[in-house]
Amino acid sequence: MIILKSRDEIEKMRAAGKVVAAALAEIMENVVPGVTTRDIDQMAEEVILAHGAVPSFKGYRGYPATACIAINDEVVHGIPGARVLEEGDIAGIDIGAILAGYQGDSAVTIPVGKVSPEAERLIKVTREALFAGIRAAKIGNRLSDIGHAVQQHAEKFGYSVVRDLVGHGIGRDMHEDPQVPNYGRPGRGPKLQEGMTLAIEPMVNMGGPEVVSLSDGWTIVTADRSLSAHFEHTVAITKSGPDILTLRKGETYP
Ligand code: MF3
Ligand code: CO
């Protein structure tokens, strides 16, 4: 069952989204070669708590940290720890926060120092694929139009989208209906309606779409160990179009 949100609830989600956006902005300024993934996790937690919010991932099904940090061939759900980021790495940082009962969820992939042109392009195209999906999140379309737009964009560049993990509805709960795949044929699934709030989160691989999970029970990596990038925004569907609730200050988009 898809839970539609009132305008007031969307404003509450925007408040939570702003906290997530502030945490990601702080991290984006401070990720340099030499920082550990634990340092990044601490930055995230400090910003979230300073805003009177709570990290939503911590404790979720036993997840032990505030951020998920996925480096290079890691796709999502990497657990922060002692690993030191090195020049040329790409780091996907996913953060969720709860403020006054409502959730925000967003992710970016950040180049660490100078990265290869190939990695840079993967990051750029994955972010563009997210915004292609967001543009399709409008009244009059159906759910699968979002994934179709994401897939079209990513595949145009020879990349593949991960199918085993999907985006999701979001609201009072981090994961609500519907699931939001990043692939598919257009014109399928529920009609998009005013008040739907979705976390759209393409994961794009340089090689094949297959993923495997590591023995820590969380980290997902590409099966062929190719590079992977991940971007996510929480978006409300409104009469005036998609409203990005986790947009960062000064963030511009295609
Ligand atoms: N953004 C991810 C998601 O939507 C984060 C969940 S990670 C977990 O599923 F640790 F909380 F499980
Ligand atoms: Co999410």
Side-chain angles (χ1 to χ4, degrees):
M1 188 205 41
I2 299 174
I3 303 169
L4 300 179
K5 278 75 177 184
S6 66
R7 269 200 274 171
D8 184 56
E9 288 179 296
I10 289 172
E11 289 318 310
K12 288 180 174 157
M13 289 182 66
R14 192 191 313 282
K18 277 187 175 164
V19 176
V20 174
L24 285 176
E26 166 85 7
I27 288 164
M28 290 169 81
E29 275 186 23
N30 290 289
V31 167
V32 289
V35 304
T36 67
T37 53
R38 184 177 290 122
D39 296 331
I40 295 171
D41 191 66
Q42 277 169 4
M43 287 179 220
E45 182 152 340
E46 270 170 35
V47 174
I48 290 169
L49 296 177
H51 285 79
V54 183
S56 53
F57 300 172
K58 211 174 209 177
Y60 179 85
R61 299 189 181 196
Y63 188 74
T66 293
C68 293
I69 304 179
I71 302 161
N72 299 337
D73 60 342
E74 297 173 356
V75 179
V76 285
H77 300 171
I79 302 171
R83 182 163 175 179
V84 178
L85 293 181
E86 291 173 23
E87 178 104 23
D89 285 341
I90 64 171
I93 319 270
D94 190 352
I95 290 171
I98 309 169
L99 183 68
Y102 287 87
Q103 303 258 351
D105 187 2
S106 183
V108 294
T109 297
I110 306 174
V112 182
K114 191 160 171 48
V115 304
S116 72
E118 292 77 22
E120 212 162 87
R121 195 171 83 131
L122 176 70
I123 290 174
K124 177 172 186 281
V125 169
T126 305
R127 183 166 181 269
E128 288 167 355
L130 167 61
F131 284 99
I134 291 173
R135 280 195 300 277
K138 58 178 189 192
I139 297 166
N141 274 355
R142 287 183 183 268
L143 183 67
S144 80
D145 292 318
I146 296 172
H148 180 71
V150 169
Q151 180 180 20
Q152 289 272 107
H153 190 75
E155 291 185 352
K156 204 157 55 184
F157 294 85
Y159 302 139
S160 54
V161 297
V162 173
R163 291 149 188 263
D164 290 356
L165 297 146
V166 295
H168 48 94
I170 179 168
R172 282 192 168 275
D173 286 318
M174 174 160 63
H175 294 140
E176 297 183 352
D177 286 340
Q179 293 197 350
V180 185
N182 295 299
Y183 63 92
R185 306 220 264 146
R188 312 289 165 112
K191 283 185 173 167
L192 299 180
Q193 288 181 52
E194 180 172 28
M196 285 184 180
T197 44
L198 305 174
I200 302 173
E201 50 177 322
M203 292 143 269
V204 175
N205 299 347
M206 215 173 251
E210 300 82 10
V211 298
V212 293
S213 45
L214 298 187
S215 57
D216 63 12
W218 282 103
T219 314
I220 309 287
V221 301
T222 55
D224 59 12
R225 302 299 158 119
S226 67
L227 284 185
S228 186
H230 176 216
F231 281 84
E232 175 176 23
H233 269 310
T234 297
V235 177
I237 293 169
T238 76
K239 281 205 178 96
S240 43
D243 185 354
I244 305 171
L245 306 178
T246 44
L247 202 65
R248 295 180 299 283
K249 266 197 201 107
E251 181 181 9
T252 57
Y253 52 90

